[in-house]
Amino acid sequence: MDFTLYINLFYAFFKIGLFGFGGGYAMIPLIQKETVEKHKWITDDDILEIIAIAESTPGPIGVNMATYAGYQTAGIFGGIIATLGLVAPAIIIIFIVAKILNAFKDNKYVQRAFYGLRPASVGLILAALFG
């Protein structure tokens, strides 16, 4: 079992998850650059297959691509590691934001701001529904 491969796989997809703004489709060039150009784990043809499979399976395309690319690179455990690497930055950021918001939850200005955001949120949902 080559642990350096798993560490590199996790780190590569962690970077993709950290800097992949714009969702799964925005991650495709980052995944291609890391897996094909930089590490040479897979080929460009593999990327095309990964995109086709990721689009046809349920779930977020970025997560599906990470899972399949990790699987192609290092088997089932590689798929798990790549997926964890991709979602880890989002989980860490959510915990940090939750901790910060929890520290300010009793602040009257923060409470008023969230109270004011409620109608705006409803408006945005309705605009998307009827727009």
Side-chain angles (χ1 to χ4, degrees):
M1 188 176 254
D2 185 16
F3 287 109
T4 57
L5 175 62
Y6 295 126
I7 291 168
N8 289 334
L9 195 60
F10 181 86
Y11 181 65
F13 280 95
F14 187 87
K15 287 190 305 186
I16 293 166
L18 191 61
F19 298 111
F21 299 108
Y25 290 105
M27 291 181 185
I28 293 173
L30 298 173
I31 292 172
Q32 191 273 340
K33 184 173 184 165
E34 282 290 323
T35 59
V36 176
E37 294 176 18
K38 186 174 180 184
H39 294 287
K40 299 186 185 348
W41 289 325
I42 56 179
T43 65
D44 280 323
D45 290 336
D46 292 331
I47 287 289
L48 293 175
E49 288 179 19
I50 289 169
I51 292 169
I53 290 170
E55 284 184 333
S56 64
T57 54
I61 189 169
V63 172
N64 292 344
M65 286 186 69
T67 305
Y68 194 72
Y71 175 77
Q72 285 288 96
T73 303
I76 292 172
F77 194 61
I80 293 168
I81 293 293
T83 303
L84 290 174
L86 187 78
V87 299
I91 292 170
I92 292 168
I93 291 168
I94 288 169
F95 277 124
I96 291 169
V97 170
K99 187 84 168 161
I100 292 169
L101 286 177
N102 195 34
F104 291 102
K105 71 179 179 184
D106 295 327
N107 184 306
K108 68 179 182 179
Y109 299 110
V110 172
Q111 289 176 347
R112 289 178 184 167
F114 279 114
Y115 186 75
L117 287 173
R118 288 179 187 161
S121 299
V122 171
L124 287 171
I125 293 169
L126 291 174
L129 180 66
F130 296 113

